[in-house]
Amino acid sequence: MGWLRQLPPQWLTGWSPCPPDPVLIPFGQCSHPLTGDWLWPNCSGLRPGGCSPGGATAPRRQRCQPPDAVVWPQNVEQVSRVAALCYGQGVPIIPFGTGTGLEGGVCAVQGGVCVNLTQMDQILELNLEDFSVVVEPGVTRKALNTHLRDSGLWFPVDPGADASLCGMAATAASGTNAVRYGTMRENVLNLEVVLPDGRLLHTAGPGRHFRKSAAGYNLTGLFVGSEGTLGLITATTLRLHPAPEATVAATCAFPSVQAAVDSTVHILQAAVPVARIEFLDEVMMDACNRYSKLNCSVAPTLFLEFHGSQQALEEQLQCTEEIVQQNGASDFSWAKEAEERSQLWAARHNAWYAALALRPGCKGYSTDVCVPISRLPEIVVQTKEDLNASGLKGSIVGHVGDGNFHCILLVNPDDAEELGRVKAFAEQLGRRALALHGTCTGEHGIGLGKRQLLQEEVGAVGMETMRQLKAVLDPRGLMNPGKVL
């Protein structure tokens, strides 16, 4: 590791050899279980496979080990220098933003250098008239919206966690607002990327922030969702949106899962421009009532939110209320005040912690599938039946306006038989989504755990095409190795 001496000492937090065997680390655990020579000094700032403290779902468990070193560059020039040095020495490179990813994307499965980008935290450029902003990887979505508070604009993509915006681009993140405002794929206009060999790429050209283009290949789209396997994103240009004039939230309970999900489809088919539409089954509603001190019916429930002018909201609310009543909804209530809305969405974002409280001492495992809207009732109902039949303790929650939902399963990590049932359940669910022309991951990404399902989803030619692209940009296979492919 003598090559590390070529880096300025202030960039390094220390390094040590990797342990001989990988260690099973519960994601979201800030402390590292190793001691002595294996303890890396920055464990509080780098959570292996980290979890989303404010997220609605839980990370799964992956085999993980620490990197050989962690560097904290201050600017893109330093990132470029680190990448070139590592690549020249044949050392793996693992990008790190805030550690809120859910699929083991920052696990150093082959050791190497973790490039922690959190100290690059500047908002570089704000174009109010063009509805765009350029941010570094240390800027989180909450920090950006705080900065935009008095501008009349906001950035709506909300995965729950206060994630790095560049990290959200790298994982093609989405969240509760995606049904109206889109995912990161629709909201990234340009990326500044340090390629594995240290070269600097601007995917849409330096400084450009146009709304549409027919110029050449879509390089921005290639890097959005690449999960750190093609380069290090050092800045992203984002599309901003006007802040809504008025906002109203609502909850309504249903007699069955089928009725709740049918209502979702009917609301979308009626072209109601709903901003959020979230499903929580009766298990999750019971957990949220207890954990977040709500007083909702313990039944399959929709949380909804509407944005627009006062007149537009009245029309949206009337249409939605008629639809849900036709599907047997009850306990229909509106939350028009900001405090009420905040309590409602805080409960939704804390659903993971609420679920964990149902079985103290256990860990969580989250699935993440997405299907065409027309197939949503079928798969949610079948999944609920499978969950009841499996004997596993769990709940269903999701961004059903996109056809995306999660099962949060509570598992004893010391029970090998139960772990096996969780694995079998997750794989069965992933394959059912594929059979219904859906995807094995709506927003969490492939990471370490879904590589086989990715092959089944895109097929042999799709996988070979991805490998060829990877080989062109990273011929030595050193960018975040072991992930996606």
Side-chain angles (χ1 to χ4, degrees):
M1 301 294 287
W3 59 272
L4 280 170
R5 296 185 179 90
Q6 299 181 47
L7 293 176
Q10 64 269 26
W11 293 10
L12 290 166
T13 62
W15 66 275
S16 65
C18 286
D21 298 308
V23 179
L24 190 63
I25 299 171
F27 283 15
Q29 183 171 295
C30 292
S31 60
H32 197 282
L34 302 176
T35 57
D37 292 338
W38 304 132
L39 181 63
W40 27 306
N42 63 306
C43 60
S44 63
L46 176 61
R47 296 185 293 264
C51 93
S52 160
T57 57
R60 64 186 72 248
R61 292 166 66 91
Q62 301 286 8
R63 286 206 170 265
C64 183
Q65 63 189 63
D68 298 304
V70 177
V71 296
W72 301 68
Q74 311 294 308
N75 54 53
V76 64
E77 290 79 15
Q78 293 180 359
V79 175
S80 180
R81 182 178 169 189
V82 169
L85 180 58
C86 290
Y87 214 71
Q89 298 288 333
V91 176
I93 305 166
I94 304 96
F96 182 90
T98 50
T100 55
L102 302 183
E103 294 293 340
V106 297
C107 291
V109 294
Q110 296 180 20
V113 170
C114 174
V115 182
N116 188 313
L117 299 165
T118 54
Q119 293 190 14
M120 296 174 60
D121 58 358
Q122 298 301 303
I123 297 174
L124 300 175
E125 184 179 345
L126 175 60
N127 301 291
L128 295 177
E129 294 180 349
D130 293 330
F131 296 85
S132 69
V133 66
V134 184
V135 299
E136 289 186 320
V139 179
T140 66
R141 65 172 187 88
K142 287 184 180 179
L144 174 60
N145 280 324
T146 298
H147 184 80
L148 295 171
R149 183 171 294 161
D150 298 324
S151 70
L153 301 176
W154 73 312
F155 185 71
V157 182
D158 174 10
D162 189 21
S164 158
L165 290 160
C166 288
M168 288 167 60
T171 56
S174 62
T176 56
N177 287 309
V179 62
R180 176 160 181 172
Y181 298 98
T183 71
M184 289 300 288
R185 290 196 183 278
E186 292 77 43
N187 286 282
V188 174
L189 304 175
N190 198 352
L191 294 170
E192 178 186 82
V193 182
V194 172
L195 296 176
D197 60 5
R199 290 177 297 157
L200 188 62
L201 168 68
H202 296 270
T203 57
R208 304 195 188 282
H209 51 273
F210 40 70
R211 285 302 183 103
K212 67 178 184 179
S213 171
Y217 298 132
N218 184 358
L219 296 179
T220 303
L222 175 63
F223 282 87
V224 173
S226 60
E227 302 186 38
T229 62
L230 302 179
L232 299 105
I233 298 175
T234 51
T236 180
T237 303
L238 301 170
R239 182 193 306 267
L240 300 178
H241 297 258
E245 174 187 326
T247 301
V248 173
T251 63
C252 47
F254 293 85
S256 67
V257 171
Q258 180 83 48
V261 183
D262 281 346
S263 291
T264 300
V265 176
H266 296 160
I267 289 168
L268 297 174
Q269 289 174 337
V272 178
V274 62
R276 306 191 206 194
I277 183 164
E278 298 286 301
F279 170 77
L280 300 86
D281 72 0
E282 71 282 359
V283 177
M284 182 57 76
M285 283 310 308
D286 183 42
C288 287
N289 281 343
R290 298 183 190 188
Y291 187 85
S292 298
K293 306 298 187 290
L294 299 182
N295 190 30
C296 297
S297 298
V298 178
T301 299
L302 291 180
F303 285 10
L304 305 101
E305 188 168 277
F306 305 89
H307 298 167
S309 66
Q310 292 290 353
Q311 180 180 351
L313 287 184
E314 290 177 7
E315 296 173 354
Q316 294 175 36
L317 297 177
Q318 180 181 353
C319 182
T320 300
E321 190 164 4
E322 291 175 358
I323 290 171
V324 299
Q325 287 178 350
Q326 290 171 4
N327 284 287
S330 61
D331 297 326
F332 198 83
S333 63
W334 302 109
K336 296 185 178 181
E337 299 301 322
E339 184 176 351
E340 293 178 278
R341 296 197 310 271
S342 295
Q343 181 186 22
L344 184 67
W345 293 112
R348 170 61 184 90
H349 285 320
N350 287 328
W352 159 242
Y353 299 107
L356 272 186
L358 293 175
R359 194 178 178 191
C362 288
K363 302 297 181 182
Y365 186 106
S366 175
T367 67
D368 172 45
V369 299
C370 185
V371 297
I373 292 295
S374 64
R375 311 308 293 270
L376 184 64
E378 176 183 351
I379 192 171
V380 174
V381 170
Q382 184 61 59
T383 300
K384 185 66 175 176
E385 293 175 357
D386 291 346
L387 184 57
N388 291 336
S390 71
L392 296 169
K393 181 71 172 179
S395 59
I396 299 177
V397 62
H399 322 303
V400 286
D402 303 316
N404 181 206
F405 69 95
H406 315 288
C407 292
I408 300 179
L409 307 174
L410 304 176
V411 57
N412 179 355
D414 299 320
D415 187 334
E417 187 275 334
E418 189 174 53
L419 284 170
R421 280 189 288 140
V422 166
K423 183 175 184 292
F425 178 92
E427 290 179 353
Q428 179 187 35
L429 177 55
R431 292 191 170 97
R432 176 173 288 120
L434 297 184
L436 296 177
H437 308 293
T439 176
C440 65
T441 175
E443 57 186 4
H444 295 169
I446 297 297
L448 290 170
K450 295 180 179 174
R451 289 172 293 179
Q452 177 59 42
L453 288 172
L454 175 64
Q455 293 182 38
E456 297 175 26
E457 181 169 329
V458 303
V461 175
M463 290 300 298
E464 181 59 26
T465 302
M466 290 186 193
R467 291 191 183 99
Q468 289 171 344
L469 290 168
K470 168 79 168 172
V472 169
L473 292 168
D474 181 17
R476 303 187 69 179
L478 296 176
M479 274 304 311
N480 211 9
K483 319 298 167 49
V484 183
L485 302 178

